[in-house]
């Protein structure tokens, strides 16, 4: 990881103006591309309403939004996520409002009638350089521009999230709520981050150790942050040193930087979610994020395939079958709960194993 070379006597204000100009140029280019020859993409139930709510303060309700592709791997995770959203939405303690799957594949898929979805454009071909997550901020920019969103707050979520209990609005006014990731460490990466967060903005400790998900944030704040998030992501990807240093978490750093550039600080909520098998219990959390494989052979075998396993990457080409085998004794409760919740969802989702 190498930092930026000394800029000599170049005015820092000139560098800021150049950087800002690049950001706006990129944003304008993508916005023009997104409109395309056929005009804006059609909104296919972007509101995601499921009837009236009772017991929840309308001012605190948040819209649940996740970005996804039309790949089968993304589809089956989205279906499970949406199932548990519907199960938890109307329970006491929930501030969940509508739901939108922001589909950045550029065309409708087979889940349009099952999940409220808005189709948006992917980045221009080759722009993501094989890093498909780079489409996420661009997808949010388009959605925020085109959708009618009734709620004042937005939860940015992901397909591999499972709600284990009703989720209240964890934000406090203009202070969004986010989950702190141990591997997002701005102070350790100060030299690289100074390329995107100039010294005039203050210490890099102002950059929160977060990604964009899970985050509950005011819609008005996200409307300002999203274009900057998109542009910072693209700039980071184009910078070889930054791309090498941040790898698959580059877009997460970009959101953290973009928020800090807008002076937005997040309340860090460790109880927002857990990540089995590293986190053992579900009794003090709202979301299970099943990004890691769970393997067991007499004990947890972290990073090594075990005799019993549940790993979402085992189902790249087909969805997991119904009634997965439960973990053996000794596996953490968080993993047991995850598999049971996957089984419940797949048992109740019509046409689970049908091609979409």
């Amino acid at each position: 990881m190498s930092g930026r070379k000394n800029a000599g006597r170049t005015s820092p204000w000139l560098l800021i103006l150049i950087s800002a100009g690049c950001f706006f140029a990129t944003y304008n280019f993508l916005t023009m591309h997104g409109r395309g020859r056929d005009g804006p993409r059609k909104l296919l139930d972007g509101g995601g309403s499921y009837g009236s709510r009772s017991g929840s303060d309308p001012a605190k309700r948040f819209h649940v939004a996740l970005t996804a592709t039309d790949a089968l791997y993304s589809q089956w995770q989205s279906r499970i996520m949406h199932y548990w959203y519907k199960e938890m939405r109307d329970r006491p303690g929930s501030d969940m409002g509508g739901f939108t799957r922001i589909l950045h594949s550029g065309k409708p898929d087979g889940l349009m009638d099952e999940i409220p979805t808005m189709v948006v454009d992917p980045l221009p071909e080759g722009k993501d350089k094989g890093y498909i997550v780079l489409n996420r901020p661009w997808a949010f920019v388009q959605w925020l521009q085109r959708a009618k969103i009734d709620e004042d707050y937005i939860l940015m979520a992901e397909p591999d999230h499972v709600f284990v209990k009703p989720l209240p609005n964890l934000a406090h006014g203009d202070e969004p709520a986010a989950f702190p990731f141990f591997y997002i460490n701005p102070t350790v990466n100060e030299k690289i981050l100074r390329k995107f967060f100039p010294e005039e903005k203050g210490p890099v400790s102002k950059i929160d150790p977060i990604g964009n998900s899970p985050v509950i944030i005011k819609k008005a704040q996200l409307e300002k942050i999203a274009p900057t998030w998109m542009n910072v992501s693209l700039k980071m990807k184009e910078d070889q040193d930054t791309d090498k240093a941040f790898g698959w978490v580059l877009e997460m750093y970009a959101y953290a930087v973009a928020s800090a550039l807008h002076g937005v600080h997040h309340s860090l909520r460790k109880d927002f979610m857990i990540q089995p098998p590293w986190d053992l219990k579900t009794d003090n959390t709202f979301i299970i994020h099943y990004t890691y494989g769970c393997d067991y052979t007499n004990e947890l075998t972290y990073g090594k395939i075990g005799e019993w396993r549940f790993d979402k990457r085992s189902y790249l080409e087909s969805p997991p079958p119904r009634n997965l085998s439960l973990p053996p004794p000794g596996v953490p409760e968080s993993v047991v709960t995850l598999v049971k919740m996957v089984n419940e969802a797949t048992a109740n989702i019509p046409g689970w194993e049908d091609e979409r």
Side-chain angles (χ1 to χ4, degrees), residues 284-332:
N284 188 35
T285 195
F286 298 99
I287 294 172
I288 291 177
H289 181 210
Y290 55 99
T291 189
Y292 298 111
C294 304
D295 292 272
Y296 190 85
T297 304
N298 298 320
E299 63 181 3
L300 287 172
T301 56
Y302 298 100
K304 181 180 179 181
I305 294 177
E307 294 178 2
W308 180 92
R309 77 182 323 237
F310 175 75
D311 187 338
K312 65 178 184 177
R313 295 163 191 82
S314 299
Y315 305 102
L316 295 174
E317 305 297 333
S318 61
R322 284 172 165 156
N323 197 28
L324 291 168
S325 63
L326 294 179
V331 172

Side-chain angles (χ1 to χ4, degrees), residues 9-67:
R9 296 183 178 180
T10 303
S11 166
W13 292 107
L14 178 60
L15 293 175
I16 295 169
L17 288 172
I18 293 172
S19 178
C22 292
F23 282 2
F24 285 123
T26 305
Y27 173 66
N28 290 334
F29 166 71
L30 288 173
T31 301
M32 291 175 65
H33 175 273
R35 293 193 183 104
R37 291 172 295 177
D38 302 320
R41 293 285 180 180
K42 182 180 179 183
L43 172 62
L44 299 169
D45 195 4
S49 176
Y50 283 93
S52 61
R53 293 292 317 281
S54 61
S56 175
D57 180 356
K60 295 180 64 177
R61 287 180 201 157
F62 55 83
H63 195 97
V64 179
L66 73 153
T67 54

Side-chain angles (χ1 to χ4, degrees), residues 85-246:
Y85 154 80
K86 291 191 295 182
E87 286 293 305
M88 298 296 175
R89 179 179 184 267
D90 293 319
R91 296 186 185 183
S94 167
D95 286 320
M96 296 176 174
F99 186 104
T100 301
R101 181 181 62 131
I102 308 171
L103 183 63
H104 55 76
S105 300
K107 61 184 185 299
D109 66 359
L111 297 180
M112 306 302 293
D113 293 332
E114 179 179 330
I115 304 176
T117 296
M118 181 178 183
V119 178
V120 298
D121 288 305
L123 289 167
E125 185 175 357
K127 195 68 176 177
D128 64 12
K129 302 181 185 296
Y131 179 53
I132 196 168
V133 183
L134 211 61
N135 287 278
R136 181 178 293 157
W138 173 221
F140 269 105
V141 168
Q142 296 174 82
W143 177 63
L144 289 164
Q145 287 178 341
R146 303 173 187 176
K148 181 182 181 298
I149 307 165
D150 294 330
E151 299 84 356
D152 291 333
Y153 290 85
I154 292 168
L155 164 66
M156 292 188 283
E158 297 181 16
D160 59 352
H161 286 176
V162 172
F163 295 106
V164 294
K165 66 175 68 169
L167 180 61
N169 188 339
L170 302 177
H172 297 284
D174 289 333
E175 185 176 59
F179 177 81
F181 290 90
F182 71 90
Y183 48 78
I184 303 296
N185 198 327
T187 55
V188 170
N189 293 286
E190 178 170 4
K191 288 185 178 180
I192 286 179
L193 290 174
R194 281 303 183 196
K195 298 180 181 183
F196 313 98
F197 191 76
E199 292 185 3
E200 290 79 7
K201 287 291 185 178
V204 294
S205 58
K206 286 188 174 182
I207 302 173
D208 294 325
I210 62 171
N212 84 290
S213 176
V215 166
I216 299 177
I217 186 171
K218 274 189 172 180
K219 177 174 59 179
Q221 291 176 306
L222 187 57
E223 287 172 340
K224 296 177 181 178
I225 292 171
T228 307
W229 171 28
M230 177 189 71
N231 287 306
V232 172
S233 296
L234 293 171
K235 287 295 179 183
M236 284 184 170
K237 190 63 180 175
E238 291 167 0
D239 185 271
Q240 291 185 355
D241 290 339
T242 306
D243 189 21
K244 181 179 179 180
F246 292 163

Side-chain angles (χ1 to χ4, degrees), residues 3-8 195:
R4 181 174 52 181
K5 292 183 178 180
N6 194 316
K195 298 180 181 183

